Amino acid sequence: FFGVRGVAIERVETLPTVPTNVDLNLGDPVTLERARELADFDVVVPEALGDPDEVYFSDFPAGGMVSFVYGSSEEPRALLTQFEATFEDTFLKKLEVTSNVQHVGVDDQPGVFLSGPPHVFGFLDANGQYQEETLRLVGNVLLWERRPLTLRLEADLSLEEALEIARSIP
Protein backbone atom coordinates (compact mmCIF):
# COMPACT_ATOMS: atom_id res chain seq x y z
CA PHE A 1 0.00 0.00 0.00
CA PHE A 2 2.70 2.54 0.92
CA GLY A 3 5.58 0.70 -0.74
CA VAL A 4 7.40 -0.45 2.41
CA ARG A 5 8.38 -4.09 1.96
CA GLY A 6 6.32 -6.32 4.21
CA VAL A 7 4.13 -3.52 5.53
CA ALA A 8 0.45 -2.86 5.04
CA ILE A 9 -1.69 -0.12 6.58
CA GLU A 10 -5.27 -0.93 7.54
CA ARG A 11 -7.65 1.68 8.92
CA VAL A 12 -10.25 0.52 11.43
CA GLU A 13 -13.07 2.33 13.21
CA THR A 14 -11.94 1.43 16.75
CA LEU A 15 -8.94 -0.15 18.43
CA PRO A 16 -8.81 -2.59 21.32
CA THR A 17 -8.12 -1.01 24.70
CA VAL A 18 -4.40 -0.46 25.21
CA PRO A 19 -3.03 -1.03 28.72
CA THR A 20 -1.15 1.91 30.22
CA ASN A 21 1.73 -0.07 31.76
CA VAL A 22 2.81 -2.19 28.82
CA ASP A 23 5.62 -4.72 29.18
CA LEU A 24 7.88 -3.93 26.23
CA ASN A 25 8.25 -7.69 25.59
CA LEU A 26 11.35 -7.21 23.45
CA GLY A 27 13.11 -10.51 24.08
CA ASP A 28 16.23 -11.17 26.12
CA PRO A 29 18.51 -8.37 27.34
CA VAL A 30 21.92 -8.63 25.66
CA THR A 31 24.91 -6.44 24.92
CA LEU A 32 25.15 -4.66 21.59
CA GLU A 33 28.03 -6.94 20.66
CA ARG A 34 25.97 -10.05 21.50
CA ALA A 35 23.00 -8.76 19.47
CA ARG A 36 25.32 -8.38 16.48
CA GLU A 37 26.47 -11.99 16.93
CA LEU A 38 22.94 -13.37 17.23
CA ALA A 39 21.21 -11.47 14.42
CA ASP A 40 21.27 -12.79 10.87
CA PHE A 41 21.75 -9.22 9.61
CA ASP A 42 24.06 -6.28 10.19
CA VAL A 43 22.73 -4.43 13.25
CA VAL A 44 22.75 -0.66 12.73
CA VAL A 45 22.96 2.17 15.28
CA PRO A 46 21.77 5.70 14.43
CA GLU A 47 24.57 8.18 15.06
CA ALA A 48 22.00 10.79 16.16
CA LEU A 49 21.02 8.60 19.13
CA GLY A 50 24.34 6.89 19.84
CA ASP A 51 24.67 3.59 21.65
CA PRO A 52 21.41 2.45 23.23
CA ASP A 53 20.90 2.27 26.99
CA GLU A 54 19.41 -1.22 26.70
CA VAL A 55 19.59 -3.85 23.92
CA TYR A 56 17.27 -6.81 23.42
CA PHE A 57 17.29 -9.78 21.08
CA SER A 58 14.37 -11.95 20.08
CA ASP A 59 14.67 -14.94 17.77
CA PHE A 60 11.26 -14.08 16.29
CA PRO A 61 10.76 -13.35 13.44
CA ALA A 62 13.15 -15.56 11.47
CA GLY A 63 16.60 -13.95 11.42
CA GLY A 64 15.91 -12.29 14.75
CA MET A 65 14.79 -8.90 15.93
CA VAL A 66 17.04 -6.41 17.71
CA SER A 67 15.50 -3.66 19.81
CA PHE A 68 17.26 -0.64 21.28
CA VAL A 69 15.78 1.20 24.24
CA TYR A 70 16.91 4.76 24.90
CA GLY A 71 16.20 5.65 28.50
CA SER A 72 15.18 2.49 30.33
CA SER A 73 12.56 -0.21 29.87
CA GLU A 74 10.74 1.35 32.85
CA GLU A 75 10.91 4.87 31.38
CA PRO A 76 11.72 4.60 27.66
CA ARG A 77 12.26 7.76 25.64
CA ALA A 78 12.66 5.98 22.31
CA LEU A 79 12.55 2.47 20.92
CA LEU A 80 14.25 1.37 17.71
CA THR A 81 13.46 -2.11 16.42
CA GLN A 82 15.11 -3.74 13.41
CA PHE A 83 14.43 -7.01 11.64
CA GLU A 84 14.48 -8.58 8.21
CA ALA A 85 10.98 -8.53 6.74
CA THR A 86 9.66 -10.37 3.73
CA PHE A 87 6.19 -10.63 2.31
CA GLU A 88 5.85 -13.93 4.18
CA ASP A 89 6.48 -12.06 7.46
CA THR A 90 4.05 -9.23 6.71
CA PHE A 91 3.72 -6.57 9.37
CA LEU A 92 0.46 -4.71 9.68
CA LYS A 93 -0.55 -1.49 11.35
CA LYS A 94 -4.13 -1.03 12.45
CA LEU A 95 -5.04 2.60 12.91
CA GLU A 96 -8.04 4.50 14.09
CA VAL A 97 -9.67 6.60 11.40
CA THR A 98 -8.22 9.74 13.02
CA SER A 99 -4.57 8.58 12.77
CA ASN A 100 -2.29 10.45 10.42
CA VAL A 101 -0.36 8.38 7.88
CA GLN A 102 2.33 10.05 5.78
CA HIS A 103 4.36 8.41 3.04
CA VAL A 104 8.00 9.49 3.46
CA GLY A 105 11.40 8.65 2.06
CA VAL A 106 14.55 7.88 4.00
CA ASP A 107 17.67 7.96 1.83
CA ASP A 108 15.66 7.01 -1.26
CA GLN A 109 13.99 4.13 0.60
CA PRO A 110 10.24 4.06 1.33
CA GLY A 111 8.84 4.79 4.76
CA VAL A 112 5.67 5.63 6.65
CA PHE A 113 5.24 8.11 9.51
CA LEU A 114 2.31 7.39 11.83
CA SER A 115 1.05 10.01 14.25
CA GLY A 116 -2.10 10.55 16.22
CA PRO A 117 -3.89 8.01 18.40
CA PRO A 118 -2.06 4.85 19.52
CA HIS A 119 -1.98 1.88 17.20
CA VAL A 120 -1.87 -1.89 17.48
CA PHE A 121 1.04 -3.82 16.03
CA GLY A 122 0.24 -7.11 14.32
CA PHE A 123 1.97 -9.61 12.11
CA LEU A 124 1.60 -12.91 10.32
CA ASP A 125 3.54 -15.65 12.09
CA ALA A 126 5.53 -18.43 10.42
CA ASN A 127 2.32 -20.45 10.07
CA GLY A 128 0.51 -17.55 8.40
CA GLN A 129 -1.60 -16.90 11.51
CA TYR A 130 -2.34 -13.30 12.48
CA GLN A 131 -0.86 -12.33 15.87
CA GLU A 132 -1.42 -9.02 17.61
CA GLU A 133 0.48 -6.99 20.20
CA THR A 134 -0.40 -3.73 21.86
CA LEU A 135 1.78 -0.73 21.15
CA ARG A 136 5.10 -0.57 22.89
CA LEU A 137 5.38 3.19 23.41
CA VAL A 138 2.90 6.00 23.16
CA GLY A 139 4.25 8.30 20.51
CA ASN A 140 4.76 8.64 16.81
CA VAL A 141 6.22 5.87 14.66
CA LEU A 142 8.57 6.04 11.70
CA LEU A 143 8.64 2.74 9.83
CA TRP A 144 11.11 2.46 6.95
CA GLU A 145 13.24 0.16 4.85
CA ARG A 146 16.98 0.00 4.82
CA ARG A 147 17.40 -3.13 2.79
CA PRO A 148 17.40 -5.86 3.85
CA LEU A 149 16.03 -4.39 7.09
CA THR A 150 12.75 -2.91 8.14
CA LEU A 151 13.19 -0.45 11.02
CA ARG A 152 10.62 0.97 13.42
CA LEU A 153 11.36 4.07 15.53
CA GLU A 154 8.83 4.87 18.26
CA ALA A 155 9.14 8.10 20.23
CA ASP A 156 7.48 11.42 20.93
CA LEU A 157 9.21 12.99 17.92
CA SER A 158 8.14 15.13 15.01
CA LEU A 159 8.51 13.79 11.48
CA GLU A 160 11.58 15.97 10.95
CA GLU A 161 13.25 14.69 14.14
CA ALA A 162 12.48 11.06 13.30
CA LEU A 163 13.85 11.47 9.76
CA GLU A 164 17.03 13.06 11.12
CA ILE A 165 17.58 10.02 13.33
CA ALA A 166 16.81 7.57 10.50
CA ARG A 167 19.17 9.35 8.12
CA SER A 168 22.00 9.23 10.68
CA ILE A 169 22.42 5.48 10.24
CA PRO A 170 25.78 4.95 8.52
Side-chain angles (χ1 to χ4, degrees):
F1 179 57
F2 279 95
V4 178
R5 183 184 67 252
V7 176
I9 305 292
E10 177 186 355
R11 291 190 183 274
V12 295
E13 292 297 322
T14 59
L15 290 171
T17 303
V18 177
T20 54
N21 293 322
V22 176
D23 177 2
L24 293 179
N25 193 26
L26 300 173
D28 297 320
V30 295
T31 64
L32 179 55
E33 294 75 23
R34 184 69 179 140
R36 287 184 163 135
E37 293 170 6
L38 293 168
D40 289 349
F41 53 86
D42 291 332
V43 175
V44 296
V45 178
E47 290 178 355
L49 293 176
D51 286 342
D53 296 304
E54 297 177 11
V55 179
Y56 294 85
F57 179 81
S58 173
D59 57 6
F60 180 82
M65 179 173 64
V66 175
S67 299
F68 296 160
V69 175
Y70 294 89
S72 69
S73 53
E74 291 80 29
E75 293 185 35
R77 294 186 325 273
L79 173 64
L80 177 69
T81 304
Q82 49 194 290
F83 51 89
E84 288 184 305
T86 65
F87 289 110
E88 290 80 36
D89 298 317
T90 303
F91 282 74
L92 304 169
K93 297 282 180 184
K94 280 190 171 182
L95 308 169
E96 286 186 312
V97 174
T98 57
S99 293
N100 299 312
V101 180
Q102 290 178 263
H103 178 65
V104 298
V106 179
D107 297 330
D108 297 323
Q109 296 294 312
V112 178
F113 185 72
L114 309 169
S115 59
H119 62 276
V120 173
F121 180 59
F123 58 93
L124 297 179
D125 68 16
N127 297 324
Q129 299 297 310
Y130 181 75
Q131 305 293 330
E132 193 167 88
E133 299 178 17
T134 55
L135 79 163
R136 293 212 163 94
L137 299 183
V138 175
N140 298 327
V141 175
L142 176 62
L143 184 69
W144 78 101
E145 286 184 24
R146 186 177 187 277
R147 291 192 179 131
L149 299 179
T150 296
L151 295 103
R152 183 173 191 247
L153 174 63
E154 298 177 68
D156 187 16
L157 298 171
S158 69
L159 171 60
E160 293 75 23
E161 292 167 324
L163 287 172
E164 181 180 331
I165 291 168
R167 291 177 178 139
S168 76
I169 294 175

